[in-house]
């Protein structure tokens, strides 16, 4: 399984990224380069809207799309970006650079999907090939944990960034087993009713996406970080209270224009389901989120050590959250 060679994987990915990313200019004072390790889709609207709101408040944000969560994390290590998006617990343990998570965006809501003609249960995936988002991603963690829980071992684990990309590959038959988000699960059910089975997953409350940066960046750019965290909280709270706000924000800031106006109905439905599940972090996570993450990522094999001995401060810097909740209140 992939977790056995994670040290070499991280080293290889870092070397590859450094060779490809040297052309990215350094940030000036007051600038914020955010490395987005995914293909932005419907599930990204909350984050993209929060970034636009931060820009309105004077934070000069540049969004860098890297299409892979591992590369986004390595961008922070190498200084090619200031803030990353993901759940970099493995990286924090393996790399000497003091990276810290400073705000949770959302918790995991992923759906393992298999071709119904080939597979019916988790046991059927023993020795079979699967595809996930990327190394160290929440999708990988879910699939590794399910393999452990059901006593199976996958064949090849492929990394295919973008839930929509994996959905299309499932439809086309190039993937037989993968994992997608709620929007693409519904799309599969609508486009090919009866062709796929969603395998059961125990309730998950671990981090799907969070903001992270180096300790030095958080210390030296506290004002800009505070604005981003406040707008992330505001956006998550507004969408949770009224999911239709996601559509309003999408249209106001002209987010994901390639999807066209017909995507509004799907966006509204996606965020209605997401809000009902309580998946958006209303208070930014913090120590409670860290405890859930320690339990989940340890079981999935992405964090080493006794969970009882893991310290929040070794993975998180909650100072921006403390300031934001003092200003905005807690939900």
């Amino acid at each position: 399984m992939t977790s056995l060679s994670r040290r070499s994987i991280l080293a290889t990915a870092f070397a590859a990224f450094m060779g490809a990313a040297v052309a990215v200019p350094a940030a000036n004072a007051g600038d914020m380069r955010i490395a987005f390790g995914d293909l932005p889709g419907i599930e990204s609207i909350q984050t993209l809207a929060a970034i636009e709101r931060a820009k309105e408040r004077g934070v000069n944000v540049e969004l860098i799309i890297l299409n892979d969560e591992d590369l986004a994390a390595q961008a922070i290590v190498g200084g090619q970006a200031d803030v990353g998006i993901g759940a970099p617990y493995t990286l924090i343990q393996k790399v000497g650079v003091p990276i810290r998570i400073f705000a949770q965006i959302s918790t995991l809501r992923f759906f393992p999907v298999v071709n119904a003609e080939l597979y019916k249960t988790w046991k059927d995936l023993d020795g079979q090939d699967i595809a996930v988002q990327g190394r160290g991603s929440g999708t990988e963690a879910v699939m590794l944990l399910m393999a452990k829980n059901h006593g199976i071992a996958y064949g090849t684990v492929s990394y295919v960034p973008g839930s929509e990309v994996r959905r299309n590959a499932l439809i086309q038959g190039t993937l037989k087993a993968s994992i997608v988000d709620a929007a693409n699960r519904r799309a599969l059910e609508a486009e090919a009713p009866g062709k796929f089975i969603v395998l059961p997953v125990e309730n998950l409350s671990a981090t799907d996406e969070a903001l992270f940066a180096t300790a030095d960046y958080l210390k030296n750019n506290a004002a800009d970080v505070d604005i981003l965290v406040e707008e992330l909280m505001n956006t998550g709270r507004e969408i949770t209270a009224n999911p239709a706000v996601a559509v309003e924000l999408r249209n106001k800031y002209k987010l994901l224009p390639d999807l066209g106006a017909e995507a509004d109905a799907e966006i509204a439905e996606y965020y209605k389901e997401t809000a009902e599940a309580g998946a958006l972090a209303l208070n930014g996570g913090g120590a409670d989120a860290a405890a859930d993450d320690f339990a989940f990522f340890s079981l999935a094999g992405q964090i080493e050590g006794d969970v009882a001995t893991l310290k929040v401060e070794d993975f998180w810097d909650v100072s921006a959250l403390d300031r934001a909740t003092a200003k905005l209140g807690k939900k």
Side-chain angles (χ1 to χ4, degrees), residues 162-181:
S163 192
E164 183 176 356
V165 175
R166 296 192 298 278
R167 179 195 91 199
N168 289 335
L170 286 163
I171 289 288
Q172 294 165 5
T174 53
L175 291 180
K176 308 298 184 184
S178 189
I179 181 168
V180 297
D181 61 21

Side-chain angles (χ1 to χ4, degrees), residues 12-295:
T12 301
F14 180 50
F17 175 80
M18 288 300 289
V22 291
V24 178
N28 297 315
D31 292 347
M32 179 184 289
R33 301 164 300 170
I34 299 180
F36 200 107
D38 198 354
L39 301 171
I42 287 173
E43 73 286 351
S44 310
I45 286 176
Q46 179 210 359
T47 303
L48 296 174
I51 289 171
E52 292 301 320
R53 287 175 158 183
K55 290 180 182 179
E56 291 176 340
R57 293 178 61 185
V59 183
N60 185 22
V61 179
E62 176 191 0
L63 194 61
I64 304 170
I65 307 298
L66 293 173
N67 299 341
D68 187 288
E69 290 183 20
D70 196 43
L71 291 182
Q74 299 299 343
I76 306 304
V77 175
Q80 282 74 39
D82 306 306
V83 174
I85 298 175
Y89 281 93
T90 300
L91 187 77
I92 291 172
Q93 276 199 330
K94 298 295 189 289
V95 178
V97 176
I99 291 173
R100 295 293 181 267
I101 298 167
F102 63 92
Q104 185 187 66
I105 300 172
S106 59
T107 55
L108 289 166
R109 290 196 68 241
F110 289 116
F111 302 86
V113 177
V114 297
N115 188 307
E117 294 180 356
L118 300 174
Y119 313 119
K120 305 294 183 185
T121 69
W122 282 106
K123 290 292 186 182
D124 295 335
L125 289 182
D126 193 25
Q128 303 302 304
D129 299 339
I130 67 166
V132 301
Q133 167 73 22
R135 297 180 180 92
S137 66
T139 59
E140 183 188 49
V142 171
M143 296 302 280
L144 293 180
L145 179 57
M146 292 303 102
K148 182 179 292 187
N149 288 351
H150 293 276
I152 62 174
Y154 304 121
T156 300
V157 178
S158 300
Y159 300 105
V160 181
S163 192
E164 183 176 356
V165 175
R166 296 192 298 278
R167 179 195 91 199
N168 289 335
L170 286 163
I171 289 288
Q172 294 165 5
T174 53
L175 291 180
K176 308 298 184 184
S178 189
I179 181 168
V180 297
D181 61 21
N184 285 287
R185 182 212 73 216
R186 287 198 306 276
L188 284 171
E189 293 169 347
E191 294 171 15
K195 183 175 180 178
F196 301 101
I197 292 174
V198 178
L199 296 179
V201 177
E202 292 81 0
N203 290 332
L204 300 174
S205 57
T207 295
D208 174 20
E209 289 188 339
L211 300 175
F212 59 94
T214 64
D216 283 345
Y217 182 83
L218 294 174
K219 178 181 178 181
N220 297 330
N221 299 271
D224 289 345
V225 168
D226 284 358
I227 289 172
L228 181 60
V229 171
E230 288 171 17
E231 293 308 330
L232 190 68
M233 280 189 187
N234 283 331
T235 306
R237 292 176 179 188
E238 290 172 19
I239 292 174
T240 298
N242 178 13
V245 168
V247 175
E248 295 172 9
L249 292 171
R250 187 241 177 160
N251 292 323
K252 176 180 179 179
Y253 295 112
K254 297 179 173 57
L255 305 174
L256 308 175
D258 292 344
L259 295 183
E262 61 272 17
D264 282 352
E266 176 62 23
I267 291 167
E269 186 60 32
Y270 172 81
Y271 279 100
K272 178 177 182 293
E273 184 176 319
T274 300
E276 290 172 350
L280 301 184
L282 304 187
N283 296 304
D288 291 340
D292 290 335
D293 289 348
F294 292 162

